[in-house]
Amino acid sequence: METAGDNHSPSSSSSSSEVDVTPRAATSAVHRALQLIQTEDSDSKLLAAKEIRRLTKTSQRCRRLLADAVVPLVSMLRVDSPESHHESALLALLNLAVKDEKNKISIVEAGALEPVISFLQSENLNLQEYATAALLTLSASVDNKPIIGASGAIPLLVDVLRHGSTQAKVDAVLALSNLSTHTDNLTIILETCPIRSIVSLLKTSKKSSKTAEKCCSLIESSVGFDEGRTALTAEEGGVLAVIEVLENGTLQAREHAVGALLTMCESDRCKYREPILREGVIPGLLELTVQGTPKSQTKAQTLLRLLRETPYPQSEFQPDTLENIVCNIISQIDGDEQPGKAKKMLAEMVQVSMERSLRHLQQRALVCTPTDLPISNSCASEVSLK
C-alpha cells in the first residue's frame, strides 16, 4: 500500500465483502450485531465482530449506529482466546475508527491500547499488521496522540519499522508521522534512533508515494535536532534519498524534502553544505523555484543562496539573482567561472517548466469539464479499510 487513504482495496477475507443494503436492512443487521456482541458466548461474539467489520467497511452511518460495540469488542482483545478472535475484533474496531473521531477516542478510552500494543510484538504477522494499522488510524486523532505516545507504543512501532512486513513498515512510518506532530512524541521518536530505518524504507519506496511523503516529513522533523542531522548524513545514501524526493515527489513531499535540507544547512552551513552539494541537488532546487508550492519556492531560493561560496549578500552592482547564485555554485564544482553554464541550466529549467505547464493545460482542456474534476474523500492520515 502506497497511500494511507480510505479508498485502498482491503486485504483479505470473505467476511469483508461489500453488500449493498437498504437503510432498513442495515438497521436490522446493526441491531442483531449489537445483540450478539454483548452475549457471553465466544462464538456469537466472533460472528458479531465479523458482521460489524462488514457493516462498517463503507458505511459512516453504520459506524455511528455501532458505536456501542466498542467496549465489548475491546473486551474481546483482552481475553485469552484464539488469535482469530483477536484479529476479528481488531479489524472491526479498525473499521469503526476510520473517519470517525468519536469512535477513535472511545476505542482508546475503552482500554484498547494495552492489548493492541502487545500485538505489535506478536509472532503472528497478520496480528502485528492489524495492530500497526489500528495505531495508524487511532493516531490520526489529536486527542489520542499524547496518550499513544505515553503508552510505550512508539519504540515498538520503530521495531516494526525495522523488522516488520512491508505493509507493517509502511503503516508504522505513517503512524509515527501522525504522532510526531505532538512535541513530546517527537522527542521519544528521536530517542529510538529511527533514521536508518526511515531512510531504508524511503529508498525502496516510489518517490511520488504517500509513504515517501511521510518518510520525508519525519526526516524534516528529525533534522531539527543535531542527532537527526548527524544520523541522516551518516547513513549511506540518506541525503541522496531526500534529494530524489525533492526531484520526483508529490508537492507536499518536495516541500518536506527541501525543508529538511534547508534546516540542515541553516543549522551548520559549513558542515552540511558540501554533503548536500555532492549529491547533485542544484537541478531539483532550480525546478522547485518555479514549480513548487509557495513555501517550497521560498525554501529552494533560500537554500540556493546558502549553497553558494559566501553566505554574505552581494553588492548592489551584483544582484542576488538565481543566475548569480548558480554561477557561483558551478564555479566551485567545476573549478572556474561558468556563467554560460549557469544561464543554460536556468534556461533549461524555465523551458521544462513551460512545457509541463502547457501539457497540463492541454490535458485539462481535452478531458476535464467542471463536472469532471475529482473530489477526493480520502483521509491520508488513516489506514485503508480492511
Side-chain angles (χ1 to χ4, degrees), residues 265-280:
C265 212
E266 286 181 327
S267 70
D268 191 335
R269 177 181 174 277
C270 293
K271 182 176 182 180
Y272 296 113
R273 175 177 172 275
E274 200 58 38
I276 293 172
L277 277 176
R278 191 186 308 125
E279 300 296 354

Side-chain angles (χ1 to χ4, degrees), residues 296-307:
S296 295
Q297 291 180 15
T298 300
K299 290 178 180 180
Q301 291 168 4
T302 304
L303 182 54
L304 280 167
R305 293 187 183 98
L306 287 171
L307 292 174

